[in-house]
Amino acid sequence: MKKTSIFILFWISPFFLHANDGYKLWLQYYPFENHAIATYYRDYLENTKLVGESATHEVIRNELNTAFKGFFEKEPASQLVSEGDNALLWIGKIEDLPKDIRAQLGNKNTALGEEGYLIRYIKGKVILSANTDIGLLYGTFALLKKIQTRQKLEELNELENPRIQLRMLNHWDNLNRTVERGYAGFSIWNWHRLPQHIDQQYIDYARANASIGINGTSITNVNANALVLTPEYLEKAAALADAFRPYGIKVYLTARFNAPMVLDNLPTADPLDPNVQQWWKDKAKEIYSYIPDFGGFLVKADSEGQPGPHNYGRTQADGANMLAEAVQAYGGIVMWRAFVYNEHTPTDRIRQAYDEFKPLDGKFRDNVIVQVKNGPLDFQPREPFHPLFGAMQETPLMMEFQVTKEYLGQDTHWVNLASMWEEVLQSDTYAKGQGSTVSKVLDGSLHDYKLTGIAGVSNIGTDRNWTGHHTAQADWYAFGNLAWNPNQNIEKIAEYWIRMTFSNDPEVVQTMKGIMLNSYEILVDYMTPLGLHHIMARSHHWGPGPWVTGGGRDDWTATYYHKVNNDSIGFDRTETGSNAMAQYAQEWKEVWGNEENVPMEFLLWFHRVPWNKKLSTGNNLWEEMALRYQKGVEGARWMQKEWSSLEENIDPGRFNHIASFLNIQVNEAEWWRDACLLYFGQFSKMPLPPGVEAPKHDLNYYLNFKRNFVPGI
Ligand code: GCW
């Protein structure tokens, strides 16, 4: 068979352009675009030998069948498993492979870890192997991805291990099926029908997650309801755990810190009280009787009204360690969130987590990992990396990214979150000199952490396409990829996602990739340019609200953060201000500390700057701000135009859906620009510079613009 030329054949066949509702995510397995390519892969897929038996093998077999049906639009013969030993594709654990096949792998498998896999092309055969069933499943998805993205099998020679142990989704799903900060419908967990009914969506959820290496899911909101720890719900959670197990996904639960009081009327939840400690030990025992491989607890304590150790004058370590002790005997862990802050603490909100946790470094039990948001505030469109990442050498830290777009326009804006995540992951903490990137903190290589992890707050709901915006599937996909290896190239990730989800058509790939890679800067420009932050509307955080002030909590207003007046705008976080900057390495103080050379994207994050200050661009601050808002709007229009050029190349269902959301995005980009410039313009008192369009309405219109029942609260 001639194996190279077929890949350069011109794209000819738009036969995949039938209705597509997006449910299949990146596991579309749509038909090959021409006969030659189909034949090339069919040789392997029809001559596959899957060696061994287990529940996970069953999953692998099903996935191969599903893929086959999609690729070739027909049922595979004999379940894809070649009878003879002349198979071209071998899939089996190292220990299960026949001797001669194993021998061909030589000693090239020594670096293979627990969850890793290898795929090699050796003398006309493809051999996919691993040490564990789950490794095999990951390898199967990797191989299918190669086929979906039309890679040549002759070139296969890869050994992959995940760089991070815990690769988690965090669902902020409530037991009543609303989803906090969820914009894609209701929770996919249908508690009422569980445990009897295992919906196909749970299985497809597990498949999708396994395909990107996710191995844990915390299924309930961190603003936790203690009820989930009762038998009524444990039985249901156990049913989900059973469904996910063959896919290598463990279930975790959120623990409400005062559960002993809520559920069993204990007089206290003090972590140093022996009765409280015993309560949690008994609870752990009970949970493990339902879910033998229960992953452990995720905890939000002492934050935004959640109970915690502070209520008893105890530290975060006291709280975490008590829970950790309860699950330790069973191999469980505790993910303790660092998102701890308080409106009564007088210091700058963004300083508080560091101030609280840094002194506790080294004081946590071995099975605790502290979960830190990417930035010190709260999932803003752009924040510098969280200073704790440079500060905890003795305590494992894991990352919490927000895959759902709470502060990023919610589900109707197309923004490639991987761009933001890469910026954070590749930031240098300088904790151990140059090159001490956040990604090295997370993968444990910098401080030799024994536990490593990364979590993404899920954007999944009951919407048919899972994520509301079709393109938000890319964020889920990219999150899994970066969790597996935080140094992965995000351009490649985007490209693979496009190819698997939409098409291998070069025009589609190029155009969509272009939109995706530019989308983040565009969004930052029309929402929060120059380091502005927390200027969204109150509570639901949808749309602009730079005027938000007063109310119960100052640290939930916009004015707390931008402090605008007629003279200046911005938050001074240098020595002359809150000195939050002191929480970073000296190298950063030099970059960020000086108003003259701070990168423009963090100007107002760290500095208070007069409106008429001349910037390096030649514009004064007001002009620069206005021009950036305008640029953001133009960027959104550009995205819209680029997308419209693909009308012929994308199935109408998804094309129109995305086009319609892009209309919303453009309108909302204009809304952001107009509202923010009208509001801030009252203080700068300068006219809009040339090139910035006049606002559509007056400020009053925007101040009074209200919408009821915005989702996600
Ligand atoms: O971003 C804020 C959200 C809250 C969320 C909180 C947190 C789950 O507005 O809805 O609560 O962060 O991360 O705990």
Side-chain angles (χ1 to χ4, degrees):
M1 186 173 30
K2 196 151 175 292
K3 286 176 175 161
T4 43
S5 57
I6 54 170
F7 288 91
I8 49 171
L9 284 182
F10 198 57
W11 183 271
I12 36 163
S13 174
F15 52 75
F16 58 93
L17 292 184
H18 41 68
N20 192 323
D21 59 16
Y23 180 79
K24 291 186 190 168
L25 298 160
W26 47 89
L27 302 175
Q28 296 280 329
Y29 305 130
Y30 50 75
F32 293 106
E33 51 276 24
N34 67 47
H35 186 67
I37 295 183
T39 312
Y40 171 71
Y41 290 116
R42 188 188 295 135
D43 284 350
Y44 291 90
L45 291 173
E46 276 187 343
N47 290 291
T48 298
K49 178 91 177 166
L50 174 60
V51 193
E53 273 309 324
S54 72
T56 301
H57 279 74
E58 206 43 46
V59 167
I60 294 173
R61 185 171 294 115
N62 286 340
E63 198 64 33
L64 289 170
N65 282 340
T66 304
F68 191 99
K69 277 185 243 167
F71 290 149
F72 303 109
E73 297 182 293
K74 63 171 196 185
E75 289 292 326
S78 66
Q79 290 247 299
L80 286 179
V81 183
S82 153
E83 288 307 317
D85 283 350
N86 298 326
L88 291 180
L89 169 57
W90 284 84
I91 304 179
K93 284 194 282 187
I94 304 265
E95 62 187 39
D96 294 341
L97 288 173
K99 245 204 201 127
D100 57 320
I101 299 291
R102 192 167 52 214
Q104 294 188 36
L105 290 174
N107 55 6
K108 288 189 180 151
N109 53 12
T110 45
L112 206 49
E114 271 280 291
E115 294 176 294
Y117 61 84
L118 59 82
I119 314 178
R120 295 197 196 284
Y121 181 88
I122 304 173
K123 297 190 197 136
K125 293 191 175 72
V126 173
I127 306 176
L128 193 171
S129 197
N131 287 324
T132 62
D133 295 340
I134 297 304
L136 271 194
L137 179 60
Y138 290 155
T140 303
F141 279 116
L143 178 67
L144 289 172
K145 166 172 163 182
K146 294 192 188 290
I147 298 174
Q148 286 171 282
T149 57
R150 310 294 186 255
Q151 298 178 48
K152 288 182 219 148
L153 302 178
E154 293 80 1
E155 288 168 9
L156 290 177
N157 182 16
E158 91 178 14
L159 187 153
E160 270 283 332
N161 289 308
R163 307 267 175 99
I164 291 183
Q165 296 159 17
L166 305 163
R167 304 178 298 278
M168 301 270 311
L169 279 188
N170 288 181
H171 290 264
W172 287 355
D173 292 17
N174 298 312
L175 298 181
N176 65 4
R177 299 194 70 190
T178 55
V179 181
E180 183 153 349
R181 311 310 176 185
Y183 311 105
F186 288 91
S187 169
I188 60 172
W189 317 131
N190 193 325
W191 294 100
H192 189 64
R193 292 182 188 154
L194 282 165
Q196 286 90 350
H197 176 68
I198 296 300
D199 201 89
Q200 180 60 34
Q201 194 171 11
Y202 306 152
I203 304 300
D204 291 328
Y205 167 88
R207 287 174 56 224
N209 278 324
S211 79
I212 51 176
I214 304 266
N215 64 0
T217 178
S218 169
I219 55 183
T220 45
N221 193 352
V222 288
N223 287 330
N225 188 330
L227 276 178
V228 77
L229 304 176
T230 61
E232 177 187 351
Y233 282 95
L234 289 175
E235 198 188 8
K236 297 167 191 282
L240 289 176
D242 291 344
F244 298 160
R245 193 166 295 114
Y247 298 83
I249 298 168
K250 280 190 187 179
V251 162
Y252 297 74
L253 294 174
T254 47
R256 190 168 176 87
F257 199 74
N258 65 358
M261 300 166 78
V262 178
L263 298 180
D264 283 316
N265 293 319
L266 262 60
T268 174
D270 182 348
L272 299 193
D273 182 303
N275 292 329
V276 173
Q277 294 171 348
Q278 191 56 47
W279 188 92
W280 282 107
K281 283 186 185 151
D282 293 344
K283 186 49 74 183
K285 191 170 174 201
E286 187 183 12
I287 297 173
Y288 280 94
S289 74
Y290 284 91
I291 311 173
D293 56 353
F294 175 60
F297 294 124
L298 167 64
V299 188
K300 171 176 179 177
D302 293 319
S303 172
E304 303 182 336
Q306 293 298 299
H310 280 176
N311 300 136
Y312 310 97
R314 311 297 184 195
T315 68
Q316 300 300 302
D318 293 332
N321 290 343
M322 172 195 56
L323 293 176
E325 195 182 349
V327 292
Q328 189 146 28
Y330 310 93
I333 61 155
V334 169
M335 292 165 288
W336 189 268
R337 296 178 86 224
F339 187 64
V340 175
Y341 71 104
N342 189 311
E343 71 272 34
H344 305 301
T345 308
T347 40
D348 179 359
R349 169 172 161 192
I350 77 156
R351 290 193 53 135
Q352 293 180 28
Y354 180 103
D355 291 345
E356 172 107 30
F357 281 83
K358 170 73 182 155
L360 298 174
D361 191 15
K363 303 228 157 66
F364 293 88
R365 293 180 76 103
D366 288 349
N367 59 333
V368 176
I369 185 163
V370 173
Q371 181 164 313
V372 184
K373 290 191 184 187
N374 57 278
L377 180 50
D378 188 8
F379 299 138
Q380 296 303 297
R382 178 172 255 142
E383 297 188 38
F385 67 92
H386 201 300
L388 274 174
F389 287 117
M392 303 284 275
Q393 311 222 353
E394 310 293 329
T395 305
L397 298 182
M398 65 188 281
M399 172 66 78
E400 179 176 311
F401 283 132
Q402 196 177 44
V403 189
T404 190
K405 293 182 293 200
E406 174 183 359
Y407 293 96
L408 288 99
Q410 308 185 345
D411 69 320
T412 49
H413 291 226
W414 184 355
V415 50
N416 184 47
L417 294 182
S419 304
M420 178 207 285
W421 300 335
E422 179 187 53
E423 187 171 298
V424 174
L425 291 167
Q426 297 310 324
S427 292
D428 201 337
T429 67
Y430 297 101
K432 286 193 170 165
Q434 197 169 5
S436 305
T437 56
V438 171
S439 79
K440 287 189 190 158
V441 174
L442 296 178
D443 71 17
S445 58
L446 194 69
H447 302 313
D448 203 20
Y449 290 161
K450 296 287 175 278
L451 258 183
T452 58
I454 176 164
V457 179
S458 151
N459 61 351
I460 297 165
T462 49
D463 273 17
R464 182 65 190 163
N465 68 12
W466 301 81
T467 54
H469 205 309
H470 284 281
T471 69
Q473 297 177 354
D475 300 324
W476 178 9
Y477 178 81
F479 169 73
N481 277 268
L482 290 170
W484 180 276
N485 174 1
N487 292 328
Q488 255 185 90
N489 178 306
I490 62 156
E491 188 176 338
K492 273 275 160 224
I493 295 176
E495 176 168 339
Y496 288 143
W497 175 76
I498 298 163
R499 288 175 178 275
M500 292 191 279
T501 312
F502 284 91
S503 166
N504 279 294
D505 175 351
E507 211 178 310
V508 173
V509 174
Q510 281 319 313
T511 308
M512 287 190 75
K513 204 160 75 172
I515 297 176
M516 288 169 76
L517 296 178
N518 285 296
S519 60
Y520 175 54
E521 292 297 342
I522 291 172
L523 175 130
V524 172
D525 275 341
Y526 67 68
M527 279 189 186
T528 54
L530 297 170
L532 285 169
H533 47 286
H534 212 289
I535 56 171
M536 291 75 190
R538 200 192 281 282
S539 172
H540 54 60
H541 299 156
W542 170 66
W547 45 79
V548 170
T549 196
R553 288 184 68 148
D554 211 21
D555 56 0
W556 285 356
T557 66
T559 49
Y560 175 96
Y561 296 98
H562 60 62
K563 303 185 189 311
V564 69
N565 65 20
N566 291 346
D567 176 64
S568 336
I569 181 169
F571 199 135
D572 181 2
R573 295 191 161 113
T574 67
E575 296 87 341
T576 54
S578 79
N579 207 14
M581 215 181 53
Q583 297 175 335
Y584 291 93
Q586 185 54 35
E587 287 85 342
W588 281 117
K589 287 175 213 155
E590 277 153 30
V591 178
W592 290 333
N594 185 335
E595 197 179 301
E596 300 307 320
N597 57 14
V598 59
M600 212 95 79
E601 67 260 28
F602 291 128
L603 181 62
L604 304 178
W605 183 282
F606 286 112
H607 297 275
R608 193 160 173 70
V609 184
W611 285 115
N612 58 10
K613 162 99 186 163
K614 207 47 161 197
L615 303 178
S616 57
T617 54
N619 301 316
N620 69 29
L621 176 64
W622 166 251
E623 291 161 345
E624 186 67 28
M625 183 183 284
L627 289 165
R628 285 192 181 225
Y629 272 110
Q630 177 66 27
K631 192 164 153 237
V633 169
E634 283 164 16
R637 290 177 189 150
W638 169 83
M639 288 169 66
Q640 192 176 36
K641 205 164 122 252
E642 288 292 288
W643 181 252
S644 67
S645 75
L646 294 179
E647 182 156 14
E648 304 293 305
N649 315 54
I650 305 273
D651 56 281
R654 290 185 296 180
F655 176 82
N656 290 329
H657 196 274
I658 292 174
S660 153
F661 275 20
L662 278 163
N663 282 338
I664 299 179
Q665 184 165 3
V666 168
N667 284 333
E668 293 190 359
E670 291 169 352
W671 174 29
W672 269 94
R673 177 199 60 194
D674 294 349
C676 291
L677 291 179
L678 282 167
Y679 172 76
F680 290 132
Q682 305 173 98
F683 299 93
S684 83
K685 299 198 184 324
M686 286 184 249
L688 291 173
V692 180
E693 292 159 22
K696 289 188 171 156
H697 305 277
D698 64 8
L699 180 59
N700 259 332
Y701 170 88
Y702 296 105
L703 291 175
N704 293 315
F705 182 89
K706 300 258 169 5
R707 284 291 176 267
N708 296 302
F709 305 117
V710 177
I713 309 177

